[in-house]
Amino acid sequence: MKIKLLMNLLIAVMVALVISSCLKTEDEKVYTAAEEIMLREAYLDTLAARGHDIDTLENEIYYVMMDDESEGDLAKAGDTLTIGYAGYFIDGVLFDSSELSSTNGKMTFILEHEEHRMIPGFETAMKVLNKGARAQFIIPSELAYGSSGSGRIPPYQTLIFVIKMYEIKPS
């Protein structure tokens, strides 16, 4: 009788674990388009209140230059870039970084290469960096993963990238 009770309890715990794993957690907050805009504006207001100089690129990509020790030409399509990056959700949760994704903490790729495209906002951001530059980019979801999201990126997520340009090899 004890074994049957123990087995039933074990099955009940397993079912509860399976059901709970299918539920969304607080960390997986899914926003609406309106909530995304509201959170992005609040984030930008916070940066401005801290004295950061916020610049804007096309399609409402915002950025803050973090280092003045850069040199040379800006990156352009076809150039081979070596960067370090960290990607965050607007609430500060890290979702990816070159430290986690590569052995040397850097990523090398060809900008706007037709076979290995990045999200549009990321590729646009590269074009304001030259060697040694470091910047924080605020990329709206419509230039990232949009209303559908992708993998660990939920829908309507403004993404924050801190990027350091290590090298630019012209095409």
Side-chain angles (χ1 to χ4, degrees):
M1 193 66 168
K2 278 186 172 181
I3 292 178
K4 188 174 182 178
L5 182 62
L6 188 57
M7 290 297 288
N8 286 339
L9 182 60
L10 182 60
I11 291 171
V13 168
M14 289 174 54
V15 168
L17 286 173
V18 168
I19 290 172
S20 69
S21 70
C22 294
L23 300 174
K24 295 272 184 206
T25 67
E26 287 291 319
D27 293 340
E28 296 173 339
K29 172 72 173 128
V30 176
Y31 300 111
T32 65
E35 289 172 319
E36 177 193 7
I37 292 167
M38 182 184 67
L39 288 168
R40 184 171 55 243
E41 289 174 355
Y43 184 81
L44 292 167
D45 288 346
T46 300
L47 288 176
R50 291 182 181 164
H52 294 285
D53 183 22
I54 303 168
D55 291 308
T56 309
L57 295 171
E58 60 190 70
N59 299 322
E60 295 188 28
I61 297 173
Y62 299 93
Y63 68 101
V64 175
M65 295 306 291
M66 301 168 79
D67 287 334
D68 290 331
E69 310 219 358
S70 59
E71 60 185 50
D73 295 331
L74 298 176
K76 59 187 179 308
D79 289 350
T80 300
L81 310 180
T82 301
I83 66 167
Y85 74 91
Y88 301 89
F89 295 124
I90 200 129
D91 62 3
V93 174
L94 178 73
F95 65 84
D96 192 17
S97 82
S98 55
E99 291 290 326
L100 299 172
S101 302
S102 67
T103 55
N104 67 356
K106 297 177 183 175
M107 177 175 88
T108 300
F109 64 99
I110 299 172
L111 184 59
E112 295 185 354
H113 190 273
E114 49 189 73
E115 291 181 25
H116 304 286
R117 297 299 300 248
M118 307 283 186
I119 60 172
F122 194 88
E123 290 190 338
T124 299
M126 295 297 106
K127 295 177 185 176
V128 299
L129 299 176
N130 54 358
K131 184 177 180 179
R134 187 170 67 106
Q136 176 184 17
F137 295 91
I138 299 94
I139 300 174
S141 66
E142 53 269 12
L143 296 173
Y145 297 100
S147 61
S148 58
S150 178
R152 295 179 300 186
I153 313 295
Y156 297 113
Q157 283 289 324
T158 292
L159 302 179
I160 312 297
F161 285 97
V162 176
I163 300 169
K164 170 81 175 188
M165 181 68 72
Y166 289 105
E167 187 173 357
I168 300 173
K169 290 183 184 175
S171 55

